Structures are given as structure tokens and as C-alpha cells.
Amino acid sequence: GQSTAVIIFDNLTRDNYYRISRTEYLRKDALILSSEEIIQISELLTAYLENKEYIGVWEMNFKSFPNIGYEWTVHLLESIVVCYIKEYRIITPNYGSNKTERGLYVPCNSKLSTFDEVVLNVMKKNDRKMLTESEMYTMLVLSGVIKNSVPNELKESKLISFKDGIYMIKESV
């Protein structure tokens, strides 16, 4: 989980600052984007999401994004999407200090809103009601849901049970 100091700092900075990297924040009034830049960024997201329900932020090539005077990072993109681009939203794991780096971008009208809903969707599409930890990891990597590891919160999901090393879609779903 996150330390209390990180949570308090994030809450204190949220109203007046954008997070632009792991360690840098920028006053909101200092980040000025033209409507053309916002449209360019939105169009890039649309292109990345073409024929997909979601895309992991790690799959994006920031070299294709417009020069806005700051180095592109997952944090800068998240700040811009949250504040300027209402056609998209970001699904992140609930826990972990690097959850921004594990974000999935979805259209705002997507039925998916939580990380476990994305996983459940992938399990159903692959016709898998039950998976070992290793199988779950492989399926989620190949489906572009995760890059490195299965978030621990999945073991406490309301949609998927985890017992004796096996993930299983809950009966109630």
C-alpha cells in the first residue's frame, strides 16, 4: 500500500498541481494546452484504442505525442486526460504506489470501470472460469491488462475468488 504521507501529499496537491512525473508536480496554471494539442492527444488515444476495449499506458509511444514543453510521462498523460480529455478515463488498480504506471485507458462510455471487471471480461472472452496464478498472469499479459504482475487486490475481488492458488469466477457473477 501507500504510506500515509504519500496519500496526504496527493490530497494536498490535487487541487492546485498536476503530477507530471514520479517526483515532479506542476502548478495547474502553468500547464497551458492549445485546443489543437488537446485534439491531437485525444486523436492519438483514439488511434491507440482502435478496435480495443482498453489500452495499457505502457503500450503507448510518447514520441508520437505533441511537444507541449514537458517530457511525456504516464503521470503527465493521466493529468491531461483527467482534466482536458473527457472522452477517456483511466482504470487503475486500487492499491500500490505505481498504479498510474499500470493504468488502462478506456472510452468514457465503456461498461468497464474497475480492474476486476476488466479481468472478469478477459476471463469470459477466453472462456476461462478457472485459472492458476501462472495461467492468470499469462492471460492478462497476453491480453494487455498487465505488464509485470497480477495486482494482489484481485485476490479480494467481489467478482473473482482466489483460493489455493486458483482464480475462479464467482457463482454470483
Side-chain angles (χ1 to χ4, degrees), residues 1 29 80 86 93 103 167:
D29 57 11
I80 289 171
K86 301 304 179 201
Y167 289 97

Side-chain angles (χ1 to χ4, degrees), residues 20 41 44-45 48 56-68 70-78 81 100-101 105:
I20 62 170
I41 297 163
L44 281 166
L45 290 172
Y48 275 116
V57 68
W58 58 90
E59 296 182 72
M60 296 184 201
N61 178 357
F62 288 128
K63 288 180 177 71
S64 60
F65 282 73
N67 179 353
I68 59 168
Y70 298 95
E71 181 181 348
W72 279 99
T73 66
V74 296
H75 301 283
L76 178 59
L77 180 61
E78 178 182 69
V81 168
T100 296
E101 295 160 19
Y105 284 68

Side-chain angles (χ1 to χ4, degrees), residues 23-167:
T23 58
E24 295 174 285
Y25 289 79
L26 180 68
R27 285 190 58 84
K28 284 190 174 182
D29 57 11
L31 181 63
I32 300 166
L33 297 175
S34 69
S35 56
E36 291 82 15
E37 289 167 331
I38 294 168
I39 290 168
Q40 269 185 289
I41 297 163
S42 182
E43 287 175 348
L44 281 166
L45 290 172
T46 300
Y48 275 116
L49 273 158
E50 189 174 2
N51 301 319
K52 295 181 180 181
E53 291 182 88
Y54 54 83
I55 184 165
V57 68
W58 58 90
E59 296 182 72
M60 296 184 201
N61 178 357
F62 288 128
K63 288 180 177 71
S64 60
F65 282 73
N67 179 353
I68 59 168
Y70 298 95
E71 181 181 348
W72 279 99
T73 66
V74 296
H75 301 283
L76 178 59
L77 180 61
E78 178 182 69
S79 292
I80 289 171
V81 168
V82 166
C83 293
Y84 292 104
I85 303 175
K86 301 304 179 201
E87 299 89 1
Y88 298 99
R89 55 188 170 79
I90 308 158
I91 298 172
T92 59
N94 289 324
Y95 309 111
S97 58
N98 64 347
K99 59 186 179 180
T100 296
E101 295 160 19
R102 301 167 83 182
L104 297 171
Y105 284 68
V106 298
C108 65
N109 63 354
S110 171
K111 291 181 176 92
L112 303 172
S113 58
T114 63
F115 190 80
D116 59 349
E117 286 175 359
V118 174
V119 173
L120 176 66
N121 188 42
V122 170
M123 288 176 77
K124 287 180 173 180
K125 281 192 169 176
N126 285 282
D127 201 26
R128 300 295 306 265
K129 291 181 176 25
M130 210 165 60
L131 294 158
T132 65
E133 283 186 87
S134 174
E135 291 169 335
M136 176 67 86
Y137 170 80
T138 301
M139 183 186 71
L140 295 180
V141 167
L142 293 175
S143 299
V145 176
I146 61 170
K147 182 180 177 187
N148 297 318
S149 61
V150 178
N152 280 331
E153 71 191 66
L154 205 54
K155 294 178 179 174
E156 300 158 15
S157 167
K158 290 178 172 62
L159 306 174
I160 300 161
S161 65
F162 180 78
K163 187 176 179 195
D164 300 327
I166 303 288
Y167 289 97

